Amino acid sequence: MVAEHSPKTAQDLFSFLDGLGIKHTTTQHQPVFTVAESESLRDLIPGGHTKNLFVKDKKDQYFVLTVEENATVDLKTVHKIIDAASKVSFGKPEKMLEYLGVVPGSVTVFGAINDPDNQVTFVLDSELMKSDLINGHPLTNDATTTIGRDDLVRFLEATGHTPLILKVTE
């Protein structure tokens, strides 16, 4: 049986980033659950804003697809690009909490910090990676953390995840 671990907090995330020497800024705001709700923040926070999809295939392989907020992902065909065993569907909230330490509305690439057993593959859309700065929720949806594109890759690698950088959007 796997030992239960408490999900890390935003403060744990910031300490981890600091320990890696990764520059980051965080803006507090009202909780946002959708891209539409978060659009009011665009003028306040520079960089690429993200949408994160927590999906799984029929073999229970889990993926987080991190794309630019207004991009479209074709869930009928993306499995071919990410090398999933089958078409993908959205992962259940219980698995989201177990693997990423977050609840629906707070899925984030930063959830990698809560996945020490590498249950999730992180996929960064190549279009998003053209942005110098990338924004994501710091494990809760009442703030946005901005870090550099290359630092995002370094963060993922430091959590034991080698991100796939692929064009997953249309």
Side-chain angles (χ1 to χ4, degrees):
M1 186 167 133
V2 176
E4 292 295 315
H5 60 277
S6 297
K8 294 193 172 15
T9 64
Q11 205 50 57
D12 295 328
L13 172 66
F14 303 148
S15 295
F16 187 79
L17 292 171
D18 290 344
L20 294 171
I22 291 177
K23 182 176 178 278
H24 57 93
T25 57
T26 298
T27 305
Q28 301 292 322
H29 50 70
Q30 290 296 313
V32 291
F33 294 91
T34 65
V35 167
E37 288 178 10
S38 67
E39 286 179 346
S40 63
L41 305 171
R42 292 305 149 259
D43 296 340
L44 305 173
I45 306 171
H49 291 266
T50 57
K51 168 169 59 179
N52 295 273
L53 306 176
F54 180 64
V55 297
K56 67 179 268 317
D57 66 15
K58 69 179 181 200
K59 289 190 173 175
D60 286 338
Q61 293 181 98
Y62 287 83
F63 301 84
V64 168
L65 310 178
T66 301
V67 304
E68 195 278 327
E69 66 183 347
N70 294 311
T72 303
V73 176
D74 184 347
L75 291 179
K76 292 184 182 81
T77 60
V78 75
H79 65 284
K80 296 173 188 165
I81 301 166
I82 64 174
D83 202 24
S86 67
K87 288 185 180 172
V88 297
S89 59
F90 288 105
K92 292 192 170 27
E94 304 80 55
K95 289 296 183 189
M96 189 183 297
L97 186 58
E98 179 183 345
Y99 294 155
L100 302 176
V102 297
V103 296
S106 296
V107 176
T108 173
V109 67
F110 294 122
I113 198 171
N114 282 314
D115 183 30
D117 300 325
N118 273 352
Q119 299 294 323
V120 179
T121 299
F122 288 83
V123 180
L124 304 173
D125 185 57
S126 57
E127 289 299 306
L128 173 69
M129 295 303 282
K130 292 177 181 175
S131 297
D132 291 334
L133 297 174
I134 296 182
N135 297 290
H137 290 311
L139 308 173
T140 60
N141 64 356
D142 59 356
T144 297
T145 296
T146 307
I147 70 172
R149 166 193 57 232
D150 297 339
D151 286 336
L152 177 60
V153 172
R154 212 156 57 84
F155 159 77
L156 285 167
E157 290 172 345
T159 65
H161 298 82
T162 301
L164 303 178
I165 300 175
L166 302 167
K167 180 149 177 46
V168 295
T169 54
E170 298 183 344

